[in-house]
């Protein structure tokens, strides 16, 4: 049996395009042996690793993020203490959203709480803030790991995992295709980081400048990793026109990146035939 490692990268709402890749795997009737994920890649990958099909992940994403009223209802249907703590202030720091509360509110109700309960093994990437190193989490509390890998600095509160302060895993490993070792026959990677979009004479907003600069850094990290050892298949959906928090554009992102499914299916099928 061919062992395939599937690496899903970070990129916020742009990561909705990961769903096409999951559907391509389903089209071919195959499953990855291991899934690695940074940030949104870890979240989307967790649903698939738990046994959801690509179509079910798609349906859940559309149902959850199509209307702002749906998002608000998710908050208000969370138990009162949790809602009250969504914007708790950390002493002497900015008020930040707790990503663990977000995971509890928005992830499918049947999603396992522990790595050991997943159908497909997972590797979740987080960044150790003080040690400046990436950590690969593959056991223990799955929701805590997902909260850690999604903890975009300033926007989301950092998490404490194994007595270490961790933030968004995509900062140090935007597309974690290098965490499988030599155990895989094929490694498929999906890059949804994107790049800044605009015209040279136009100045970006402060927020666009911040996110765009982070994109430059993350793309540079990925390029350097590819120079050392590239994945067998790199998928790059056309998501450059979308922002990190454009989750209300879920259906639009899926529609405008629909070619990713066929492209992935054809290229992956061709690779499998060469083995």
């Amino acid at each position: 049996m061919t062992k395939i490692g599937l690496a899903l990268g970070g990129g916020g709402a742009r990561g909705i395009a990961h769903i096409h890749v999951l559907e391509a795997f389903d089209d071919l009737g195959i499953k990855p042996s291991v899934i690695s994920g940074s940030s949104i890649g870890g979240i989307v990958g967790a649903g698939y690793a738990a046994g959801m099909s690509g179509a079910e992940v798609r349906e859940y994403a559309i149902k959850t993020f199509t209307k702002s009223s749906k998002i608000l209802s998710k908050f208000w249907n969370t138990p009162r203490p949790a809602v009250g703590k969504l914007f708790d202030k950390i002493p002497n720091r900015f008020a930040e959203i707790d990503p663990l509360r977000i995971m509890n509110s928005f992830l499918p109700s049947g999603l396992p709480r522990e790595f050991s309960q997943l159908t497909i093994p997972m590797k979740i990437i987080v960044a150790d803030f003080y040690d400046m190193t990436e950590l690969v989490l593959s056991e223990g509390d799955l929701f805590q790991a997902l909260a850690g890998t999604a903890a975009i600095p300033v926007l989301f509160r950092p998490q404490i995992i194994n007595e270490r302060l961790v933030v968004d895993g995509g900062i140090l490993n935007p597309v974690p295709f290098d965490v499988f070792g030599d155990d895989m026959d094929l490694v498929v990677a999906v890059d949804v980081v994107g790049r800044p979009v605009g015209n040279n004479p136009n100045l970006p907003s402060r927020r666009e400048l911040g996110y765009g600069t982070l994109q430059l850094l993350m793309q540079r990290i990925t390029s350097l990793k590819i120079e050392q050892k590239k994945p067998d298949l790199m998928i790059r959906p056309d998501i450059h026109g979308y922002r990190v928090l454009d989750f209300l554009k879920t259906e639009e992102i899926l529609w405008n990146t629909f070619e990713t499914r066929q492209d992935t299916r054809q290229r992956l099928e061709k690779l499998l035939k060469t083995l």
Side-chain angles (χ1 to χ4, degrees), residues 248-265:
L248 284 174
K249 296 182 179 180
T250 288
E251 285 188 289
E252 181 183 324
I253 293 171
L254 287 170
W255 174 255
N256 287 333
T257 58
F258 77 96
E259 293 180 349
T260 303
R261 179 173 180 173
Q262 182 178 356
D263 177 56
T264 302
R265 183 173 63 244

Side-chain angles (χ1 to χ4, degrees), residues 10 17 25 73 75 92 138 150 180 200 227 241 245 250 271:
F25 270 80
S73 70
F75 284 120
N92 302 319
S138 58
F180 301 116
N200 287 333
E227 290 178 6
L245 298 179
T250 288
L271 268 176

Side-chain angles (χ1 to χ4, degrees), residues 5 12-13 16-17 28 38 41 43 71 96 134 191 229 260 268-269:
I16 294 296
L28 295 173
S38 290
I43 295 170
I71 297 176
E96 297 163 328
E134 70 177 76
D191 178 5
K229 184 179 181 181
T260 303
L268 181 55
E269 186 175 31

Side-chain angles (χ1 to χ4, degrees), residues 3 7 25-26 30 70 83 88 120 125 134 143-144 162 164 181 184 189-190 196 219 250-251 259:
K3 298 179 69 176
F25 270 80
D26 291 342
I30 60 176
K70 292 272 188 181
V83 173
D88 268 355
I120 300 173
I125 314 303
E134 70 177 76
F143 275 45
Q144 184 78 68
N162 298 330
R164 303 172 83 167
M184 300 296 113
V190 190
Q219 287 291 11
T250 288
E251 285 188 289
E259 293 180 349

Side-chain angles (χ1 to χ4, degrees), residues 3-263:
K3 298 179 69 176
I4 304 175
L6 175 61
L8 304 178
R14 296 186 288 265
I16 294 296
H18 284 315
I19 293 172
H20 294 301
V21 177
L22 305 184
E23 291 176 323
F25 270 80
D26 291 342
D27 291 341
L28 295 173
I30 60 176
K31 294 289 185 183
S33 302
V34 184
I35 300 174
S36 66
S38 290
S39 200
I40 187 65
I43 295 170
V44 173
Y48 198 60
M52 297 175 71
S53 66
E56 289 171 334
V57 176
R58 171 192 288 266
E59 181 181 359
Y60 187 83
I62 292 174
K63 178 182 177 182
T64 303
F65 296 114
T66 299
K67 296 180 180 179
S68 57
S69 59
K70 292 272 188 181
I71 297 176
L72 288 173
S73 70
K74 286 282 187 180
F75 284 120
W76 290 113
N77 287 331
T78 305
R80 287 282 177 179
V83 173
K85 292 181 179 179
L86 278 171
F87 293 94
D88 268 355
K89 290 186 176 181
I90 300 176
N92 302 319
R93 293 173 173 81
F94 293 109
E96 297 163 328
I97 302 172
D98 184 350
L100 184 56
R101 301 294 181 183
I102 297 295
M103 298 303 123
N104 287 325
S105 300
F106 285 91
L107 292 179
S109 58
L111 195 72
R113 305 287 309 197
E114 299 288 326
F115 277 93
S116 60
Q117 298 172 314
L118 293 171
T119 303
I120 300 173
M122 277 208 78
K123 296 178 181 291
I124 302 295
I125 314 303
V126 296
D128 186 310
F129 183 75
Y130 288 113
D131 281 354
M132 298 185 295
T133 56
E134 70 177 76
L135 303 177
V136 181
L137 307 176
S138 58
E139 59 183 19
D141 190 324
L142 176 63
F143 275 45
Q144 184 78 68
L146 294 176
T149 196
I152 302 172
V154 180
L155 181 60
F156 293 115
R157 182 182 304 175
Q159 297 293 293
I160 298 176
I161 299 178
N162 298 330
E163 299 183 352
R164 303 172 83 167
L165 190 75
V166 303
V167 295
D168 187 347
I171 293 174
L172 291 182
N173 200 339
V175 190
F177 57 80
D178 58 341
V179 298
F180 301 116
D182 297 321
D183 296 333
M184 300 296 113
D185 299 309
L186 285 177
V187 173
V188 178
V190 190
D191 178 5
V192 292
V193 170
R195 57 176 173 74
V197 175
N199 298 316
N200 287 333
N202 297 328
L203 291 175
S205 67
R206 183 183 301 177
R207 178 177 294 180
E208 289 171 339
L209 182 62
Y211 285 138
T213 302
L214 188 58
Q215 284 177 300
L216 296 178
L217 293 171
M218 293 167 75
Q219 287 291 11
R220 181 55 178 160
I221 290 171
T222 300
S223 296
L224 291 172
K225 291 201 307 171
I226 288 176
E227 290 178 6
Q228 297 173 359
K229 184 179 181 181
K230 64 180 181 180
D232 299 287
L233 178 58
M234 175 67 88
I235 305 296
R236 285 192 165 105
D238 184 10
I239 39 68
H240 303 299
Y242 296 100
R243 299 174 180 174
V244 170
L245 298 179
D246 276 347
F247 286 100
L248 284 174
K249 296 182 179 180
T250 288
E251 285 188 289
E252 181 183 324
I253 293 171
L254 287 170
W255 174 255
N256 287 333
T257 58
F258 77 96
E259 293 180 349
T260 303
R261 179 173 180 173
Q262 182 178 356
D263 177 56

